[in-house]
Amino acid sequence: MNELSVGALNIASLTVSLVVLIIGLVIWFFVNRASSRTNEQIELLEELLDQQKRQNALLRRLCEANEPEVVKEEVEAVKKEDDEEDDFIRLVAER
């Protein structure tokens, strides 16, 4: 009778081990799958960001090329005024 209970105990522990192993593999599968999907999404977002940066650079060049020269002179004058105002602010002591 002792031999029967020892054999049943071995089979029960083996069954529990197999069930835990199967559950662990299923969990690993879903975690790995989610991780690979996340990596793909990150790659796509980085590619999208790169394309947007290129589009912004092209739009800036296009806008600068189509800008009339009078506007360019006004922009330069405004920049000079801003620089002068910044110089004054730099001289004021902070409290």
Side-chain angles (χ1 to χ4, degrees):
M1 181 142 175
N2 288 338
E3 292 176 9
L4 182 61
S5 64
V6 171
L9 185 61
N10 285 338
I11 291 174
S13 66
L14 182 63
T15 305
V16 170
S17 298
L18 287 175
V19 169
V20 169
L21 177 67
I22 291 172
I23 291 172
L25 288 174
V26 169
I27 290 173
W28 174 81
F29 171 76
F30 285 109
V31 168
N32 190 23
R33 183 173 161 201
S35 175
S36 64
R37 281 188 176 181
T38 303
N39 288 339
E40 289 174 1
Q41 289 177 347
I42 289 171
E43 288 175 7
L44 289 173
L45 287 172
E46 287 174 349
E47 184 178 334
L48 191 74
L49 178 66
D50 186 44
Q51 288 178 357
Q52 286 178 343
K53 286 180 181 178
R54 281 189 261 142
Q55 284 180 346
N56 286 340
L58 287 173
L59 283 172
R60 281 191 192 113
R61 279 193 260 155
L62 184 63
C63 289
E64 289 173 359
N66 290 335
E67 215 174 53
E69 293 198 18
V70 176
V71 175
K72 288 182 182 178
E73 293 172 0
E74 291 175 4
V75 169
E76 290 175 4
V78 169
K79 285 182 182 178
K80 288 179 183 176
E81 289 175 5
D82 288 343
D83 290 340
E84 291 172 3
E85 290 177 7
D86 288 342
D87 289 339
F88 179 72
I89 292 174
R90 290 182 194 151
L91 293 176
V92 176
E94 294 183 16
R95 293 185 180 195

